[in-house]
Amino acid sequence: MNWINNLVRPKIRGLLQKRDVPENLWIKCPETGEMVFHRDLEANQWVVPSSGHHMRIAGKKRLELFFDNGAYDVVETPEVVADPLKFRDEKRYTDRLREARSKTGLNDAVTVATGLLKGMPVTAAVQDFAFMGGSLGMAAGEAVLTGLEEAVRRKTPFVLFVASGGARMQEGILSLMQMPRTTIGVQMMREAGLPFLVVFTNPTTGGVTASYAMLGDVHLAEPGALIGFAGPRVIEQTIREKLPEGFQRSEYLYDHGMVDLVVHRHDLPETIARICAVLMQTPVSAPEPEDLVAAEPETSEAPATDATADPEPEAATGAAPDKDAGDEETAPREAPKAG
């Protein structure tokens, strides 16, 4: 009977036990509730194929999708004091920072990088919402300011992908001071005559919206992004009125002039490259003459008549053109009759 205990029973237990399936294989669309396989979602740049809903995307992945061939160089940002106020609520602020860094692999919410966009040198920065909600603290403020200074030094456009819940409360007034500091950096870009483009992603709220996020030369937004200072629920409770449908979404802000363009994630690199080329007055390469000739449609040659004679030889002799000939030439010509 040992063979039953040693062979049969373990196989039966193996059939009855539940297999461990990773929880992140299927992702639910927030709009339609559809379950999407994670590899299909990743292949489509984290945009749900059926509904077009733009999911949040990691900062490093966004930079890879933005720059040519996914190649870029990370710009080192200055170190700051980790916990200047010795803040503690349910957890120590240092413990929250440690958990966020372990989870995301980032030092803080903002990453600055340089690279090529359609062959054009560009400096870009991205706020990662996964790092404490992309909140603006001393480190994030230093990173944004460093990116602006790097763009001025390299004389390149600066593109900022924004995703934030606002200022970081654990740093108090020191967090709020990053708002005027980054505004000074934007002014440096203006004085240098360099374009500053802001791309709103979901969500962009709080002190970030109240500072550098709304100071761009051109404001772009991904579809369905939440953009505002206070959230819709807070506004409804304050004014005690129902807000319009789609209030504070990128399409609503586009209709009311706060956003210049709502661009699909797939089209962002191409659109930003065209805007930067126009603002930087980058010369556009003209097509070769052979290409123009090949592109011209073939037309049948009309029979040559006296009325279609080239008047240039007569003008070259210095003789004044005959008035009647000029009138005759500008008069509408009859189509030749078929013989």
Side-chain angles (χ1 to χ4, degrees):
M1 300 293 290
N2 289 336
W3 66 275
I4 295 179
N5 296 328
N6 297 334
L7 185 63
V8 177
R9 287 185 178 178
K11 287 189 175 182
I12 294 176
R13 291 194 189 99
L15 292 174
L16 296 178
Q17 287 178 351
K18 294 182 179 180
R19 296 182 179 180
D20 295 331
V21 179
E23 297 180 357
N24 58 348
L25 286 181
W26 296 87
I27 299 175
K28 185 177 181 180
C29 175
E31 289 187 0
T32 62
E34 178 188 3
M35 301 300 292
V36 185
F37 190 51
H38 74 105
R39 290 188 178 178
D40 296 338
L41 196 59
E42 185 175 2
N44 201 39
Q45 299 185 15
W46 294 95
V47 178
V48 180
S50 59
S51 65
H53 178 78
H54 285 52
M55 306 285 287
R56 291 171 187 162
I57 186 172
K60 292 182 178 179
K61 187 64 177 178
R62 186 179 288 279
L63 291 175
E64 291 178 5
L65 297 173
F66 179 67
F67 287 111
D68 293 349
N69 302 321
Y72 61 90
D73 298 321
V74 177
V75 178
E76 295 294 332
T77 56
E79 294 288 338
V80 298
V81 180
D83 188 8
L85 303 181
K86 308 299 180 185
F87 190 90
R88 179 172 183 172
D89 46 9
E90 296 178 355
K91 294 182 180 179
R92 294 180 182 272
Y93 179 40
T94 52
D95 295 337
R96 292 186 183 275
L97 286 175
R98 190 180 302 110
E99 291 177 2
R101 288 168 180 168
S102 175
K103 178 183 177 181
T104 62
L106 302 173
N107 187 50
D108 209 88
V110 178
T111 303
V112 184
T114 59
L116 296 178
L117 177 63
K118 307 302 179 183
M120 178 189 305
V122 170
T123 304
V126 57
Q127 281 185 274
D128 199 326
F129 194 82
F131 193 99
M132 298 187 68
S135 53
L136 176 63
M138 294 174 60
E142 284 287 351
V144 173
L145 187 57
T146 299
L148 292 165
E149 292 175 344
E150 187 72 10
V152 173
R153 187 180 70 84
R154 292 175 175 264
K155 297 181 180 180
T156 66
F158 184 68
V159 181
L160 178 60
F161 295 89
V162 188
S164 177
R168 191 171 298 175
M169 69 173 188
Q170 289 89 347
E171 297 185 13
I173 189 64
L174 299 176
S175 172
L176 298 178
M177 282 302 298
Q178 307 311 309
M179 298 167 62
R181 293 184 75 242
T182 52
T183 302
I184 294 174
V186 175
Q187 184 62 31
M188 293 168 55
M189 292 285 293
R190 299 273 173 83
E191 293 174 356
L194 297 171
F196 171 43
L197 278 67
V198 178
V199 182
F200 296 108
T201 65
N202 186 45
T204 302
T205 57
V208 171
T209 309
S211 56
Y212 56 85
M214 284 294 179
L215 297 178
D217 297 311
V218 180
H219 291 161
L220 297 88
E222 289 186 339
L226 176 66
I227 308 168
F229 182 73
R233 179 178 56 83
V234 176
I235 297 176
E236 286 183 344
Q237 292 177 351
T238 303
I239 65 176
R240 298 179 181 179
E241 292 182 9
K242 186 68 176 176
L243 296 175
E245 185 69 23
F247 183 75
Q248 289 187 322
R249 296 292 173 176
S250 54
E251 293 80 6
Y252 186 90
L253 269 65
Y254 171 76
D255 293 336
H256 290 77
M258 293 186 67
V259 171
D260 298 309
L261 283 174
V262 178
V263 186
H264 194 281
R265 185 173 292 167
H266 295 172
D267 303 327
L268 275 175
E270 183 69 30
T271 303
I272 293 175
R274 290 201 308 267
I275 294 174
C276 290
V278 172
L279 296 180
M280 293 291 289
Q281 298 182 355
T282 303
V284 180
S285 58
E288 297 295 333
E290 295 80 5
D291 299 336
L292 293 176
V293 173
E296 290 181 356
E298 296 182 359
T299 56
S300 57
E301 295 182 358
T305 60
D306 293 337
T308 60
D310 190 3
E312 290 184 0
E314 184 180 1
T317 61
D322 186 45
K323 183 177 180 182
D324 296 336
D327 296 340
E328 181 181 354
E329 196 163 348
T330 56
R333 302 166 183 164
E334 296 181 0
K337 298 180 180 179

